[in-house]
Amino acid sequence: MTSESVQPVSGPSRRTVVAVVGAAGLAVALTACGSDDDASGSATEQGAGATTEAGSSGGAGAGGAALAKTADIPEGSGKVFSDEKVVVSQPAAGDYKAFSTICTHQNCPMTDLKEDTLSCACHGSQFSVLDGSVKKGPATQPLAAKQISVSGDSITLA
């Protein structure tokens, strides 16, 4: 046996922890409301193909993560997948589309979906989940289309 002395290890004080957490929260808030640059959504392509029809060779083997079953996506509306930052919609029976849930105004994440409208809590922009278009500003750019694959009754990110 060795005769090492056990010294108590002191951690950061409560005041230090609160200050660090507060500073991190402030940094996130300032980043979300940072610049008023409309170029953040300029990479969005209108009409970009967002779906691959059922029975295609894409399937789950295309490297995407399984999101949902087709029965989970209501016709004329959609479902938000916060972890993946994507909303999947079904504009018409059997037609599935996916869009980013990051607001094109100032990159705020969105989760508030009512019927076919996805709303941004940061500045009030509203988007159609059926086609990604802007329903109400200040955003001027549509949501970025995301590639999905529908194979049988499974929807995956492509």
Side-chain angles (χ1 to χ4, degrees):
M1 291 204 135
T2 61
S3 61
E4 294 179 26
S5 65
V6 178
Q7 298 285 332
V9 178
S10 65
S13 70
R14 181 185 294 181
R15 180 175 288 164
T16 302
V17 171
V18 170
V20 169
V21 169
L26 180 60
V28 168
L30 290 175
T31 301
C33 294
S35 70
D36 194 15
D37 185 348
D38 284 337
S40 63
S42 64
T44 303
E45 294 181 25
Q46 287 272 14
T51 62
T52 302
E53 293 302 316
S56 73
S57 61
L67 287 176
K69 299 290 183 192
T70 55
D72 295 338
I73 310 301
E75 186 177 343
S77 186
K79 184 174 180 181
V80 172
F81 298 91
S82 299
D83 291 344
E84 292 81 6
K85 297 178 179 73
V86 68
V87 59
V88 177
S89 64
Q90 184 178 190
D95 179 27
Y96 298 92
K97 297 186 182 284
F99 300 96
S100 169
T101 57
I102 302 301
C103 181
T104 60
H105 174 238
Q106 289 195 356
N107 299 318
C108 289
M110 299 181 289
T111 59
D112 183 22
L113 176 63
K114 290 188 176 88
E115 297 176 13
D116 68 342
T117 303
L118 186 62
S119 299
C120 180
C122 293
H123 301 105
S125 293
Q126 295 181 339
F127 301 87
S128 168
V129 297
L130 304 180
D131 62 9
S133 65
V134 176
K135 289 180 128 183
K136 177 184 168 209
T140 59
Q141 298 293 317
L143 294 174
K146 294 290 186 177
Q147 294 294 323
I148 57 172
S149 176
V150 180
S151 180
D153 67 347
S154 182
I155 300 173
T156 58
L157 281 173

